[in-house]
Amino acid sequence: MADVPTPADPFQPGTTTPPGEAVEPTSPRLNQTRAGVKPKAPPDLDADLSDPRLYFNRELSNLQFNVRVLEQTLDEAHPLLNRLMFLLIFSSNMDEFFEIRVAGLKHQIALGDFSTGPDGRSPRALLAEISQVAHEQVARQYQILNDVLIPALHVQGLRFRRRDDWTAAQQAWIQEFFSAEIMPVISPIGLDPSHPFPRLVNKSLNFIVELEGKDAFGRQGGLAILPAPRSLPRVIALPPELCESGFSEYVFLSSMIHAHAGEVFPGMAVRGCYQFRLTRNADLAVDPDEISDLASALRGELLARRYGSGVRLEVADNCPDRLSAFLLKQFELDEADLYRVDGPVNLTRMISALGELDRPDLQYRPFTPGLPKLLRKKESLFDAIAAGDILLHHPFQAFSPVEDLLREAARDPSVLAIKQTLYRTGADSGIVNALVEAASNGKEVTVVIELRARFDEADNLALASRLQEAGAIVIYGVMAYKTHAKMMHIVRRERGRLRHYAHLGTGNYHARTAKLYTDYSLLTANATLCADVHKVFQQLSGMGRAQHIDTLLHAPFTLHDRLLAMIEREAEHARRGRRAHLIVKCNSLTEPKLIQALYRASQAGVECDLIIRGMCSLRPGVPGISETIRVRSIIGRFLEHTRVFHFHNDGKPETWCSSADFMARNMFHRVETAFPLLDRKLAERVRKDLETYLVDNCQSWLLQPDGSYLKQQPCGSDAISAQETLLYAYAAKA
């Protein structure tokens, strides 16, 4: 994604590999030498570590992550329907990329703000690069769909019927379906002086129709807009009796509307009908200085999100230039914002159809998440947690103990109080049900709900109302800081004294995503940890100066400074000739001061293994600056979501799990926590998990000095998939 440096560039990684070609990956193994590995080139201690050439652009890196997701569609190691799912996830990711990232750049330019990030790119130059890459990859996405996936699905008995391939019996059924299900809810909009161009909902499927003739009022035909009913599925299954033997067959809603558009305009001749979709700015702007009620302000902003300024126009590839130009003018967009696609413009909506397919042979085999022995032995979760810290690794191990703990607490007469943070929870949540039950049973229930969790705002507003009606105290956190920490605190009376229990996690309290995302959950009765969790809740719900917190790291107060100090501590060990090694696993790495700290650590000789799923602004492999830094991205069946920071610390290792990524927003603009694994066995287990990721050669991509990612390839029988290894290690054995 980033520019390839010329040989004269002092940051050129070497002369053995021509610019632009893939660089051979360094060994993924951990440093085995006692004193560490010395840099191959002497470190340039006077180098300017803020030099823009040392940073990849975060937006382009984000786009590169989406490209790696798209690459999964071609990986035959994934079952066929999962490959199709990756293609649809790419669509969903690109929607959000335009709604938030591209929209933000356009808004920045509109305000006359041409400031640059650490990489030095101007907003206009960045938009041009994004447009070029996005156009290439979207075209490639549809090529993969049409030339690879649809033919492969056909071989497996799944067929998407095009209009020109409908049988007579299918045409008759589709005609009846259109008349009964579509026609009653469709609302055509003719364009004339009394019917100006309508405000269309963000990402809705629409058609622009060319008409000829006179209507009932004598008006000459021209153009009309035909919005597809949002209440209808985008893919409709044909009845089995109409399908070819051995096939399940499907028709796109867009094809049905296209075929019968003439019936919507009786007496008029339809000369052209072309689908299109507008993507709008969907970021919410809430000024903390101008509102008194966050919930009310967000309700208004959610309505406005549906009609934000346009940022991208998708049209069918057969749409005439004059019509696409007309649409661009209506939405105040440029030619660079136009995407012509060879297929349905709203692929994301196909995700719901995949859930209805009964083809387990074309999907990953289901598995039963495992449970630690301690949870299987004890009848009460409180007894199990009191016996020692319990660490769960989702989805390989079950999320249900977290829900069960809340349910047990809600019904236990000895439990006095429950405090909980909620960021993304889901509309139908067992967690919320348990909190409602606890409040109804007279417990003191306090819930910190982050209303501004992007695209979950409406669900969170509904959850807040439900909890308040049950008698829970609902707090919306701190206005200027999103509450992103994942914490639960339970107070229980035991033998005449109050005993504290806590849950700390790297992921959300969401049962469905816990089956899809990798995350850690710590269940603990450690007095120090529980006391710190209690203090964080006190800060969120009350007012006062920041309290001293003994064990947890807490953003925006201590997390950033302590991470810098721990990285520097590792560098000091290396300077003294001791073995020095750190492993950072998170979703994104973009915060400049943390990147510079890692550069200094590498200059000192620290072996730095970074497992960064998505955005990474750090440039590895620069002689004398980042030569001992390796960056890999793992893309597989599950979405990598754990945030773990491991420091060798001269043989006294420390392992931390966190809700925070290495980003400025997490360090300075959110309430986050990082918690240490105090139990040595648990810390050692997580270190081994990390090492498993470091030797993955099936789903691992190594970031190269030129900004490209090189997919690792197993040799013969030496294939290692980290996710499959962890699944085998932790999931319940059949």
Side-chain angles (χ1 to χ4, degrees):
M1 296 299 304
D3 294 335
V4 178
T6 63
D9 190 326
F11 299 103
Q12 173 69 17
T15 57
T16 57
T17 304
E21 292 190 8
V23 179
E24 287 297 318
T26 56
S27 171
R29 305 297 302 189
L30 294 180
N31 171 25
Q32 299 296 325
T33 61
R34 189 170 180 78
V37 177
K38 298 296 183 183
K40 295 179 182 178
D44 184 358
L45 299 179
D46 296 324
D48 179 8
L49 297 185
S50 63
D51 189 320
R53 291 174 295 177
L54 285 173
Y55 297 85
F56 297 130
N57 179 267
R58 56 170 287 167
E59 315 302 357
L60 292 174
S61 184
N62 190 349
L63 198 51
Q64 184 80 307
F65 163 68
N66 291 329
V67 173
R68 294 197 296 281
V69 172
L70 182 60
E71 286 291 331
Q72 305 307 306
T73 64
L74 299 174
D75 187 347
E76 295 184 359
H78 298 300
L80 183 55
L81 287 179
N82 292 98
R83 291 166 61 193
L84 176 59
M85 178 61 79
F86 278 116
L87 184 121
L88 305 183
I89 291 172
F90 173 80
S91 282
S92 178
N93 288 354
M94 291 298 287
D95 284 351
E96 183 173 346
F97 182 77
F98 276 91
E99 289 175 297
I100 305 300
R101 311 314 314 176
V102 172
L105 288 168
K106 285 178 171 286
H107 184 63
Q108 182 181 349
I109 293 171
L111 293 177
D113 178 4
F114 300 104
S115 58
T116 64
D119 62 291
R121 280 177 173 79
S122 70
R124 290 191 188 279
L126 183 53
L127 273 180
E129 288 189 69
I130 288 172
S131 177
Q132 177 183 347
V133 175
H135 276 90
E136 291 173 355
Q137 296 303 323
V138 169
R140 185 163 165 262
Q141 173 194 20
Y142 280 88
Q143 182 181 12
I144 292 170
L145 175 67
N146 294 322
D147 298 345
V148 179
L149 295 183
I150 287 180
L153 290 166
H154 186 274
V155 170
Q156 296 297 329
L158 298 174
R159 174 183 288 159
F160 294 92
R161 283 273 188 176
R162 294 181 176 272
R163 280 183 296 133
D164 57 5
D165 194 31
W166 294 345
T167 66
Q170 289 170 345
Q171 288 180 24
W173 184 88
I174 291 169
Q175 167 72 68
E176 183 178 343
F177 183 93
F178 182 87
S179 299
E181 301 290 336
I182 300 177
M183 193 66 173
V185 295
I186 206 164
S187 299
I189 305 168
L191 301 182
D192 60 30
S194 63
H195 296 85
F197 199 93
R199 293 182 69 192
L200 301 175
V201 174
N202 182 30
K203 297 184 295 186
S204 59
L205 171 63
N206 304 278
F207 297 82
I208 184 167
V209 184
E210 286 187 300
L211 300 170
E212 187 176 283
K214 290 186 178 182
D215 72 359
F217 298 96
R219 296 174 297 182
Q220 283 289 347
L223 295 177
I225 300 298
L226 193 58
R230 304 183 73 207
S231 57
L232 295 178
R234 293 302 184 250
V235 179
I236 293 96
L238 291 171
E241 62 271 18
L242 298 181
C243 300
E244 184 178 337
S245 177
F247 278 84
S248 298
E249 302 194 14
Y250 303 86
V251 177
F252 287 104
L253 177 69
S254 55
S255 296
M256 290 185 171
I257 293 176
H258 200 148
H260 296 281
E263 297 177 33
V264 183
F265 306 95
M268 308 287 284
V270 174
R271 298 305 182 193
C273 180
Y274 311 98
Q275 58 178 312
F276 71 92
R277 188 175 79 139
L278 176 68
T279 307
R280 297 182 180 273
N281 183 336
D283 208 3
L284 299 183
V286 178
D287 188 341
D289 296 327
E290 296 184 0
I291 66 171
S292 58
D293 184 339
L294 178 59
S296 297
L298 273 176
R299 288 188 180 95
E301 285 293 316
L302 286 173
L303 182 62
R305 168 185 278 172
R306 302 172 68 187
Y307 301 104
S309 57
V311 294
R312 174 184 61 169
L313 175 65
E314 298 166 279
V315 301
D317 60 354
N318 63 342
C319 181
D321 289 343
R322 67 182 183 281
L323 293 185
S324 60
F326 170 77
L327 291 171
L328 287 173
K329 183 178 179 181
Q330 295 299 318
F331 302 131
E332 299 180 336
L333 294 174
D334 300 324
E335 185 69 26
D337 302 313
L338 178 67
Y339 289 75
R340 294 182 175 276
V341 300
D342 182 15
V345 300
N346 56 336
L347 286 175
T348 304
R349 287 288 298 274
M350 284 181 65
I351 291 177
S352 59
L354 281 186
E356 299 175 4
L357 290 177
D358 185 22
R359 290 297 301 270
D361 57 312
L362 300 181
Q363 301 178 55
Y364 276 114
R365 287 187 301 172
F367 66 94
T368 301
L371 280 175
K373 291 182 180 178
L374 196 56
L375 291 182
R376 298 197 298 267
K377 290 180 179 179
K378 301 284 187 178
E379 291 187 9
S380 167
L381 280 162
F382 290 113
D383 291 343
I385 298 168
D389 287 356
I390 296 171
L391 187 72
L392 301 170
H393 194 174
H394 315 305
F396 317 111
Q397 292 178 300
F399 180 74
S400 57
V402 181
E403 295 179 305
D404 293 342
L405 176 62
L406 262 184
R407 275 192 288 266
E408 185 175 342
R411 298 164 188 171
D412 186 343
S414 297
V415 169
L416 306 179
I418 301 172
K419 294 183 180 181
Q420 174 94 41
T421 61
L422 296 180
Y423 191 76
R424 300 188 195 278
T425 307
D428 183 19
S429 168
I431 292 284
V432 175
N433 292 340
L435 290 169
V436 167
E437 182 179 0
S440 301
N441 288 342
K443 316 292 185 189
E444 292 294 324
V445 177
T446 303
V447 185
V448 182
I449 297 183
E450 181 47 69
L451 295 182
R452 295 160 295 177
R454 185 175 291 150
F455 300 117
D456 282 291
E457 299 93 345
D459 282 349
N460 287 356
L461 283 166
L463 294 178
S465 297
R466 185 181 171 205
L467 286 163
Q468 286 171 327
E469 290 171 2
I473 299 172
V474 175
I475 298 166
Y476 301 139
V478 183
M479 186 61 221
Y481 302 88
K482 283 187 178 182
T483 302
H484 194 248
K486 314 306 192 284
M487 305 182 299
M488 178 200 306
H489 180 239
I490 298 172
V491 181
R492 187 172 187 252
R493 190 177 298 282
E494 298 178 4
R495 301 180 183 89
R497 299 176 59 187
L498 296 185
R499 183 79 183 267
H500 298 252
Y501 296 84
H503 170 266
L504 291 156
T506 67
N508 298 300
Y509 291 104
H510 196 302
R512 186 180 65 84
T513 57
K515 297 176 182 178
L516 305 172
Y517 295 9
T518 68
D519 274 304
Y520 283 114
S521 280
L522 178 68
L523 298 168
T524 182
N526 179 279
T528 304
L529 280 177
C530 290
D532 283 353
V533 170
H534 174 66
K535 289 176 183 177
V536 176
F537 273 113
Q538 292 292 94
Q539 289 182 185
L540 287 170
S541 61
M543 299 185 73
R545 292 187 177 275
Q547 300 184 56
H548 174 73
I549 293 178
D550 294 308
T551 307
L552 293 181
L553 303 183
H554 182 202
F557 304 110
T558 60
L559 178 57
H560 186 254
D561 288 346
R562 283 289 304 278
L563 285 171
L564 291 175
M566 286 189 284
I567 295 171
E568 172 55 29
R569 182 183 64 188
E570 212 66 27
E572 184 58 29
H573 289 316
R575 294 187 193 103
R576 296 186 179 188
R578 301 166 182 164
R579 180 188 172 193
H581 182 244
L582 63 84
I583 308 173
V584 172
K585 184 176 185 295
C586 58
N587 300 331
S588 301
L589 169 59
T590 60
E591 203 282 308
K593 290 185 178 179
L594 289 169
I595 291 174
Q596 290 171 21
L598 290 167
Y599 284 153
R600 288 191 294 271
S602 180
Q603 288 180 314
V606 179
E607 292 292 312
C608 304
D609 281 295
L610 311 180
I611 307 167
I612 312 298
R613 184 195 77 207
M615 293 184 290
C616 182
S617 296
L618 178 146
R619 183 173 185 169
V622 178
I625 292 176
S626 59
E627 195 170 2
T628 65
I629 300 179
R630 294 171 290 274
V631 180
R632 71 195 66 230
S633 172
I634 305 291
I635 311 290
R637 172 179 181 177
F638 308 111
L639 182 74
E640 289 299 329
H641 198 251
T642 50
R643 288 95 163 193
V644 186
F645 320 135
H646 174 78
F647 301 92
H648 180 260
N649 190 28
D650 193 26
K652 299 181 287 294
E654 291 185 10
T655 303
W656 299 76
C657 297
S658 181
S659 58
D661 288 310
F662 272 34
M663 301 177 70
R665 71 183 188 188
N666 300 93
M667 298 295 151
F668 309 119
H669 306 294
R670 289 185 172 185
V671 177
E672 304 274 15
T673 57
F675 52 96
L677 297 178
L678 301 175
D679 184 300
R680 290 187 178 182
K681 289 184 179 179
L682 297 182
E684 178 66 12
R685 170 186 150 190
V686 170
R687 184 187 65 81
K688 290 180 179 178
D689 289 351
L690 292 172
E691 290 186 7
T692 302
Y693 283 105
L694 294 180
V695 297
D696 183 299
N697 56 15
C698 293
Q699 298 168 327
S700 180
W701 299 72
L702 288 188
L703 176 58
Q704 305 299 300
D706 65 1
S708 63
Y709 279 81
L710 182 65
K711 175 74 180 294
Q712 298 300 282
Q713 300 293 339
C715 299
S717 60
D718 295 332
I720 301 173
S721 164
Q723 293 186 355
E724 288 297 317
T725 300
L726 294 171
L727 189 62
Y728 178 81
Y730 294 129
K733 302 299 187 291

